[in-house]
Amino acid sequence: MAIIDVTIPDIGDFDEVAVIELLVKTGDKVRAEQSLITVESDKASMEIPSSHAGVVKEMQVKLGDKVKQGSIVLKLETADSAAVSTPPSVAPAAAPAVTTASAPVIAVPAVAVAAPVTSSPAVAGAAHMVAPVTAHAVAVVAAPAHQPANALSGDLPHASPSVRKFARELGVPLNEVKGSGPKGRISQEDIQSFSRAVMTGETRTQAQAAKAPAGDGAGLGLIPWPKVDFAKFGPIERKELGRIQKISGANLLRNAVMIPAVTNHDDADITELEAFRVLTNQENEKAAKAGINASVKVTMLAFLIKACVNALQKFPQFNSSLDGDALVYKNYWHIGFAADTPNGLMVPVLKDADKKGILQISAEMGELAKKAREGKLSPAEMSGATFTISSLGGIGGRYFTPIINAPEVAILGVCKSQMEPKWNGKEFEPRLMLPLSLTWDHRVIDGAAAARFNAHLGHILADFRRILL
Ligand code: CAO
């Protein structure tokens, strides 16, 4: 028997977060990895797991407390006396493979969901966070977009933890809900009524909308969402949206509504680059068989990441973020890429792409995509992107209009390359053309810059040696 302190592990780029939910109490028996409390910043909420199994002897935090890495959550009596000397695992959020300690990291919204409990050492002890995205958007999605600001100030609206959780799941801003219980306590029914009212456009009166702070996205004066009894027209089946979809939807909507986005479509001639890629893979395979190096499969996306970094360096406004009336230019190039996973779309971030070669990028991308599919990405591996690429090249399609992943200002969508007849001045010749779709924020970028960005990208992809110039 031993009493140990269970502490807050590395929770990524958050200095201090508020305790918004206590999931266990004194006397409870907990398993290793079981969630103990929920904490929340303005960017994300996350459940803090137990580093060991045992019995809760004493809670050391209460609702509204501010905690950070190392803060003691509770005292735990464990059966294992060796546990005393085993500090809670706190490392994983700072995944070594791709973490850059020195680079400033933008607080990219990340969402925390109760991620599948995993026994993987890669996430053990780390806050359970998953950053989801949905179709056509590669936003690393913020926790409830309208999360009440006062949840962080300690002035928590009157509601039980389960009601808070319910509100978060629906993306309902608790501080806007009028509680019907004693002393204005908010119940689950209040949340449901609020949510229903929002869906039918009843909640915000025009007066409320007029009072809404500029830029909160409210008060668009839209007509109510159509209410249709679908069952009247044929058999239906109703399925709740997944948690990730619910949360990401609010963020996608915000990004779609608040960013004046424009998409430029273009094509890049990758005939020679594709031949080089195929050759590189053949040579790599031979070398791997001969035991000379590890086998790394190079895909077009690795070249695209490198080419994008070059274009971002030439056109730095594409690697910036809006901050009020100022533009923040980032002198680091962390590229997010959308990865299709069973949990939904995730956006792992390949850090310092400017400092890495194609083989390293390919290897890291492979690792990150694998972790994404297994739900093992750490918060650090999903944050800090300065630009995002969404590649549907392995699937198909011609062009699409990706949604910008705020606070980034541009995103590149890529579709499947195909052979096309191109006029070379004398005759048509078959060329492998890669469709590019660049969506950009018109507050920061103008059409001419976007056309130049795409043209430059195409120029690099057509002859990759230009990257050396
Ligand atoms: N044109 C033609 N073929 C392409 C291509 C392109 N632009 N890009 C990739 N391919 C080919 C690859 O060469 C590979 O072919 P082989 O198996 O014959 O070698 C095949 O497609 C599969 O590639 P891949 O998808 O495994 O690798 P990738 O590096 O291109 O992509 C990843 C990795 C993680 C981005 C991808 O697996 C994925 O998840 N893509 C989906 C992203 C997505 O859904 N975006 C939309 C977001 S908006 O809702």
Side-chain angles (χ1 to χ4, degrees), residues 1 4 41 51 53 184 242 253 302 308 390 398 405 454:
M1 289 282 184
I4 62 161
S41 74
S51 51
L253 181 61
C308 280
S390 172
R398 288 297 281 159
N405 180 17
N454 268 349

Side-chain angles (χ1 to χ4, degrees), residues 169-250:
E169 281 175 359
L170 293 186
V172 165
L174 213 50
N175 59 341
E176 288 186 24
V177 179
K178 199 166 179 309
S180 59
K183 294 187 188 161
R185 193 172 179 81
I186 300 167
S187 66
Q188 183 150 331
E189 288 69 42
D190 295 329
I191 305 283
Q192 280 164 334
S193 310
F194 182 93
S195 173
R196 253 194 313 273
V198 168
M199 296 299 284
T200 54
E202 291 161 19
T203 305
R204 282 179 184 264
T205 62
Q206 284 191 343
Q208 280 174 317
K211 273 196 274 168
D216 81 341
L220 291 172
L222 301 175
I223 57 169
W225 191 258
K227 261 181 111 174
V228 177
D229 179 6
F230 301 107
K232 265 192 351 201
F233 303 101
I236 60 166
E237 190 188 350
R238 190 180 166 87
K239 273 191 183 165
E240 280 301 303
L241 288 176
R243 188 180 157 101
I244 287 177
Q245 285 172 305
K246 281 185 202 162
I247 297 169
S248 61

Side-chain angles (χ1 to χ4, degrees), residues 134-137 277 297 299 338-340 345 390-394 415 417 434:
T134 65
H136 290 276
R277 185 188 76 83
K297 185 181 169 192
T299 64
D340 193 19
L345 277 159
S390 172
S391 172
L392 293 171
C415 284
S417 57
L434 179 72

Side-chain angles (χ1 to χ4, degrees), residues 308-338:
C308 280
V309 169
N310 187 277
L312 293 169
Q313 289 174 333
K314 190 169 171 69
F315 302 98
Q317 70 271 40
F318 286 80
N319 202 54
S320 72
S321 283
L322 260 179
D323 183 17
D325 288 336
L327 256 195
V328 179
Y329 289 88
K330 283 153 265 178
N331 293 324
Y332 53 93
W333 292 270
H334 300 339
I335 310 299
F337 63 96

Side-chain angles (χ1 to χ4, degrees), residues 33-87:
E33 290 288 303
Q34 181 177 334
S35 296
L36 302 174
I37 57 171
T38 309
V39 295
E40 190 161 66
S41 74
D42 53 342
K43 303 284 190 290
S45 66
M46 57 207 113
E47 291 179 6
I48 303 295
S50 183
S51 51
H52 296 81
V55 176
V56 179
K57 291 310 282 180
E58 195 182 341
M59 293 301 291
Q60 299 284 300
V61 291
K62 56 185 186 318
L63 284 181
D65 278 1
K66 293 285 178 64
V67 291
K68 57 186 179 190
Q69 183 180 341
S71 301
I72 301 174
V73 177
L74 51 79
K75 292 196 174 291
L76 191 74
E77 186 177 74
T78 65
D80 177 10
S81 56
V84 185
S85 57
T86 313

